[in-house]
């Protein structure tokens, strides 16, 4: 038996690719021989390595996401990593809708735009969920609702897209050191202390530590997996 962990030659689209987790995923897939396109509302902070493509797209814009799908010839893997949190402001219904629109409706927009490509390639979708998919998030109510919704959408799309040969899974990261979480590490000392104390290894995780799971979920070796959300949390959820 030879288990195939390869993503060499696959075309991979990563939203939020200018950010911490999306950026680490882009590096990992490129190192594994994939053709990577990152999509983000923000331009890259430094010059892109040769071969890495960038598309500036707002994932909240129906037409822009549909147009991205229309101008893309081939895609094997779509990873929805774009995200943001507005913390206390999320108790405003307007802001609540904006956050859900990006994380959850954005996932649906991408799935619709790339379904034909993924049907042709027998490809897969990877969503990014969160520990707030499982636990209450009083500090970010829309973010938590959206991330819980991502688990449901992952199951639903897994069933709906199975007839097209497309797998749909999600990764639920724990506490990862990225620009998104700087605010917790620097400005919320009590919350930071509680997080570190709860983690069995007593430290935040890094984006690179998630990348291997994304590559695995994109490879033939994970063909048995669809509709699941995998906690990749350094043990946060078991304590
Ligand atoms: N860092 C963590 O601890 C953690 C934990 C669980 C889940 N997540 C999730 O992982 C994903 C990546 O987060 P990160 O920590 O790398 O954050 P990050 O802030 O480093 O990256 C997020 C990226 O999303 C982009 N983005 C925001 N709004 C967008 C829009 N409308 N259209 C297109 N792009 C947009 C940003 O420009 C940014 O580059 C997010 O979905 C986040 O919710 C992060």
């Amino acid at each position: 038996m030879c288990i195939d962990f390869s993503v060499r030659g696959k075309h991979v689209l990563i939203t939020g690719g200018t950010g911490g987790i999306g950026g680490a995923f882009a590096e990992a897939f490129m190192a594994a021989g994939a053709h990577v396109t990152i999509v983000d509302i923000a331009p890259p902070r430094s010059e892109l390595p040769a071969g890495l493509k960038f598309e500036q797209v707002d994932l909240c814009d129906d037409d822009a996401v549909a147009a991205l799908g229309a101008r893309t010839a081939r895609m094997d893997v779509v990873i929805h990593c774009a995200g943001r949190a507005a913390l206390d402001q999320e108790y405003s219904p307007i802001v609540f809708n904006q956050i859900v629109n990006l994380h959850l409706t954005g996932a649906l927009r991408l799935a619709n735009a790339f379904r034909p490509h993924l049907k042709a390639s027998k490809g897969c979708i990877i969503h990014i969920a969160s520990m707030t998919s499982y636990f209450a998030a009083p500090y970010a109510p829309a973010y938590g609702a959206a991330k819980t919704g991502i688990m449901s959408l992952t199951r639903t799309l897994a069933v709906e897209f199975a007839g097209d040969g497309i797998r749909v899974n999600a990764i639920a990261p724990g506490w990862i050191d990225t620009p998104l979480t700087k605010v917790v590490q620097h400005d919320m000392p009590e919350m930071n202390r509680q997080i570190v104390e709860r983690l069995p290894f007593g430290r935040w995780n890094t984006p690179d530590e998630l990348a291997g799971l994304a590559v695995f979920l994109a490879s033939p070796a994970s063909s048995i997996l669809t509709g699941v959300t995998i906690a990749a949390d350094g043990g946060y959820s078991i304590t």
Side-chain angles (χ1 to χ4, degrees):
M1 183 170 60
C2 182
I3 300 172
D4 184 359
F5 291 99
S6 175
V7 292
R8 181 164 297 282
K10 286 190 192 289
H11 290 250
V12 181
L13 185 107
I14 303 171
T15 75
T18 299
I21 294 173
F25 283 10
E27 259 185 58
F29 275 97
M30 285 195 64
H35 307 287
V36 178
T37 302
I38 57 173
V39 177
D40 207 295
I41 199 167
R45 279 183 289 267
S46 53
E47 203 178 316
L48 292 178
L52 179 59
K53 286 193 209 149
F54 171 68
E55 293 269 10
Q56 191 158 21
V57 173
D58 178 357
L59 269 296
C60 295
D61 182 334
D62 285 343
D63 293 341
V65 176
L68 176 66
R71 67 175 174 270
T72 303
R74 173 183 164 188
M75 199 51 66
D76 300 279
V77 182
V78 172
I79 306 180
H80 183 33
C81 233
R84 69 182 181 92
L87 305 178
D88 285 351
Q89 293 170 41
E90 294 179 14
Y91 282 96
S92 142
I94 292 173
V95 179
F96 190 99
N97 280 341
Q98 290 169 348
I99 298 294
V100 171
N101 189 10
L102 171 59
H103 290 268
L104 189 54
T105 319
L108 182 69
R109 276 183 198 102
L110 279 167
N112 288 338
F114 285 94
R115 184 174 186 171
H117 311 67
L118 297 174
K119 179 178 181 181
S121 63
K122 302 290 170 240
C124 71
I125 295 174
I126 302 172
H127 294 142
I128 306 300
S130 160
M131 286 297 103
T132 64
S133 301
Y134 308 105
F135 302 124
Y139 48 86
Y143 184 91
K147 292 303 194 184
T148 304
I150 279 284
M151 288 179 66
S152 170
L153 188 65
T154 298
R155 290 189 289 259
T156 296
L157 292 181
V159 171
E160 172 62 22
F161 285 19
D164 291 343
I166 302 167
R167 295 184 300 117
V168 186
N169 292 298
I171 295 172
W175 294 96
I176 313 295
D177 182 4
T178 70
L180 181 78
T181 51
K182 288 283 179 236
V183 62
V184 179
Q185 295 180 69
H186 294 152
D187 304 334
M188 301 166 84
E190 182 52 24
M191 187 170 169
N192 188 40
R193 187 187 61 74
Q194 287 172 5
I195 290 166
V196 173
E197 275 182 12
R198 183 168 170 175
L199 284 161
F201 290 109
R203 65 167 180 86
W204 283 66
N205 288 102
T206 62
D208 337 3
E209 291 180 277
L210 286 175
L213 178 56
V215 172
F216 167 67
L217 286 175
S219 78
S222 65
S223 63
I224 197 170
L225 296 178
T226 198
V228 298
T229 297
I230 300 176
D233 64 351
Y236 184 82
S237 58
I238 56 160
T239 55

